[in-house]
Amino acid sequence: MTRLPRLILGLVTLPFLASTLLASPALADDKVTTFTLPNGLNAIVIEDHRTPVVTHMVWYRAGAADEKRGKSGIAHFLEHLMFKGTPTVPTGEFSRVVEANGGYDNAFTTEDQTAYFQRIASDRLDLVMRMEADRMRNLTLSESDVTTERQVILEERNLRTDSSPEALFSEQLDAAQYLNHPYGTPTIGWRQEVEGLTRQDALDWYGRFYAPNNATLIVAGDVNPADVEKMAKEFYGPLQPSEGIGPRIRPQEPQQLAERRLTFVDPRIGQDYVTRSYLAPQRKTGNQAEAAALTVLAELLGGGPTSVLNKALVMDQKRAVSAGAHYDGAALDPTTFSLYAVPVEGVRLADLEGALDKVLADFLDKGVDPAAFARLKTRMKADLIYRQDNAGDLAEDYGSAVTSGLTVADVQAWPAALQAVTEDDVLAAAKQVLDRRQSVTGFAMAKAEEPAK
């Protein structure tokens, strides 16, 4: 499966997502251990003995942004094909075995990584580890497998993107945001390129990236680190590493010199809205202060009903039914900081955008409200505690980070980085990023607006 487009995440789940972004792991260091096998496989073990369950994940440092031009969608395509089987585990048998043992499994592809996971009783860890290690190197693909699954991908695109005006709009926004960087290409791929993907394309991608020295194993739950390392040596240890796996160097964005704007009209849009995104720095290994300030800024501006945008546009001015902000710094390359607002009936998007700009200008002029800042810091501490209740969530936090250029130490330092953010840090980050000259603004509407009288 693919992740939802960034804009859709922002509009649908922003208040919950923002809290999730703040709540990265805060486990004691002695509960997180690491080891590396001779073939290059990195492993992270997160102990949580409260329930006899384990999450087993393999993350590959290969995502949609690593694809060659003209081959968009191949990372996601191979994710589907990985369930086609090996000489010892026939097609469909992998998931059937996991389900028969009381567990479930799935996979997902993003711009920066592809991950496969199983959640199962901890005494069955060796079972899923053996099967996952098997398909890391022994996948078998027939022409009929490729033909069938390519049609599945096209149907998925029909359902999730082509049938959704919001998703189509999100694609256009990303393409406008990234003129040169591959983040502007959809993870699921452009339709005409997906239609041309071949068996050899899939095998080339598999042979290039699916190797122990390009993967991170994460095991979280009711396990003993020594036992996990022993199993990993047994199942993953014999796999040969691949040659030629080097640094992930991608085309980067040129400096943006002028604001970009899009108007998207589609009668299927149920609710008009305005959105704006700015290119923003990602979390950087060893120095996460800037990303931490942007994370706090997103919460202050649009992280809930008492946030700056909601209070001004929804509660006070009553121009919007909702408004928010979103920033996710867990990316290998520069990411985006985005805002959105949904108008009440009768309010034009152009007028709502003007009101949004006025709120931002006031924020930059007056600075951060100390009381709101103090409340946010308290909520952040609570979020850090709640996040530890799910070992699977912790596994995803670590996996996303280490396959996006960060380290285990960075993940463990993230809570402290957030708590260290000051009001001045937030304001400085806002002034650096919230520049209209370096933004992409989009209007999504069911029908074109009449000119203002």
Side-chain angles (χ1 to χ4, degrees):
M1 68 179 182
T2 54
R3 295 284 181 84
L4 286 171
R6 282 188 288 268
L7 175 65
I8 304 306
L9 281 171
L11 290 173
V12 177
T13 62
L14 179 66
F16 308 99
L17 182 62
S19 296
T20 299
L21 291 173
L22 290 171
S24 293
L27 287 176
D29 290 350
D30 60 356
K31 293 297 183 182
V32 180
T33 57
T34 64
F35 61 87
T36 301
L37 298 184
N39 61 9
L41 179 74
N42 295 316
I44 301 171
V45 182
I46 305 168
E47 289 185 76
D48 182 348
H49 299 288
R50 290 174 296 178
T51 57
V53 177
V54 65
T55 296
H56 171 269
M57 305 190 79
V58 170
W59 293 72
Y60 293 98
R61 291 181 287 277
D66 297 297
E67 297 165 344
K68 292 180 179 180
R69 297 289 188 186
K71 298 293 182 182
S72 65
I74 189 62
H76 175 241
F77 190 23
L78 185 64
E79 175 215 311
H80 279 239
L81 292 170
M82 282 287 283
F83 291 86
K84 291 302 180 182
T86 69
T88 57
V89 181
T91 298
E93 191 69 6
F94 192 114
S95 296
R96 190 199 67 77
V97 170
V98 173
E99 184 178 359
N101 282 272
Y104 69 89
D105 71 315
N106 212 325
F108 57 84
T109 304
T110 74
E111 296 95 335
D112 292 322
Q113 59 269 130
T114 308
Y116 302 83
F117 66 90
Q118 303 85 38
R119 184 167 172 82
I120 201 166
S122 52
D123 62 356
R124 313 296 168 87
L125 175 60
D126 58 337
L127 173 66
V128 295
M129 192 178 287
R130 174 181 59 79
M131 293 194 298
E132 194 66 79
D134 178 40
R135 68 176 174 180
M136 181 181 284
R137 280 310 211 185
N138 301 315
L139 181 66
T140 56
L141 293 178
S142 67
E143 285 290 352
S144 62
D145 289 335
V146 172
T147 300
T148 300
E149 207 60 39
R150 185 172 53 234
Q151 190 57 41
V152 171
I153 299 293
L154 291 170
E155 287 302 319
E156 181 181 340
R157 182 176 170 91
N158 280 338
L159 178 65
R160 295 171 62 89
T161 304
D162 297 335
S163 297
S164 168
E166 292 80 12
L168 288 172
F169 182 41
S170 182
E171 277 192 347
Q172 296 299 304
L173 289 169
D174 284 345
Q177 182 78 68
Y178 294 99
L179 299 183
N180 194 49
H181 192 284
Y183 283 168
T185 300
T187 299
I188 199 169
W190 300 115
R191 169 173 288 278
Q192 69 273 21
E193 293 182 357
V194 173
E195 290 173 341
L197 294 177
T198 67
R199 176 176 179 271
Q200 191 58 52
D201 292 331
L203 291 174
D204 289 347
W205 183 265
Y206 179 68
R208 180 183 178 190
F209 291 114
Y210 280 58
N213 55 326
N214 197 47
T216 296
L217 166 69
I218 299 184
V219 178
D222 185 25
V223 293
N224 180 287
D227 294 338
V228 173
E229 185 170 2
K230 182 180 178 181
M231 288 184 209
K233 288 179 178 178
E234 178 183 355
F235 298 117
Y236 291 104
L239 304 180
Q240 292 299 308
S242 286
E243 297 181 0
I245 294 178
R248 299 166 74 184
I249 301 174
R250 299 159 170 174
Q252 296 298 302
E253 279 298 291
Q255 181 182 0
Q256 184 175 344
L257 302 178
E259 178 183 5
R260 301 166 195 156
R261 302 184 66 85
L262 292 83
T263 299
F264 185 85
V265 180
D266 190 312
R268 297 174 298 172
I269 292 177
Q271 175 66 65
D272 295 356
Y273 56 92
V274 57
T275 181
R276 182 183 296 151
S277 60
Y278 310 81
L279 206 62
Q282 74 278 36
R283 286 169 62 183
K284 297 180 177 68
T285 183
N287 183 9
Q288 304 181 89
E290 190 174 21
L294 288 170
T295 301
V296 176
L297 174 64
E299 282 290 284
L300 283 171
L301 288 180
T306 60
S307 63
V308 172
L309 293 177
N310 268 281
K311 186 175 184 302
L313 299 178
V314 179
M315 299 172 63
D316 296 342
Q317 301 178 26
K318 296 181 172 50
R319 292 173 179 266
V321 294
S322 66
H326 172 57
Y327 168 76
D328 183 358
L332 186 63
D333 294 315
T335 181
T336 57
F337 188 102
S338 58
L339 312 166
Y340 79 89
V342 180
V344 299
E345 186 176 356
V347 173
R348 301 172 68 251
L349 290 183
D351 294 335
L352 182 58
E353 182 192 9
L356 172 66
D357 282 329
K358 180 64 167 57
V359 174
L360 293 177
D362 289 345
F363 177 81
L364 293 174
D365 179 53
K366 298 176 182 178
V368 179
D369 176 19
F373 189 76
R375 289 194 298 270
L376 177 59
K377 283 296 189 77
T378 300
R379 179 160 63 85
M380 288 165 61
K381 290 180 180 179
D383 288 337
L384 292 170
I385 296 173
Y386 297 146
R387 186 68 171 174
Q388 297 179 60
D389 285 339
N390 190 316
D393 289 341
L394 295 180
E396 185 166 346
D397 288 333
Y398 275 95
S400 176
V402 299
T403 50
S404 299
L406 299 172
T407 66
V408 170
D410 292 325
V411 178
Q412 294 174 336
W414 182 238
L418 290 170
Q419 289 299 317
V421 172
T422 66
E423 297 170 31
D424 288 342
D425 294 334
V426 172
L427 191 59
K431 291 179 177 179
Q432 179 68 28
V433 171
L434 303 180
D435 185 344
R436 279 280 296 268
R437 295 168 299 179
Q438 301 176 27
S439 69
V440 176
T441 302
F443 286 6
M445 56 188 75
K447 63 180 181 178
E449 288 184 339
E450 295 292 333
K453 295 181 179 179

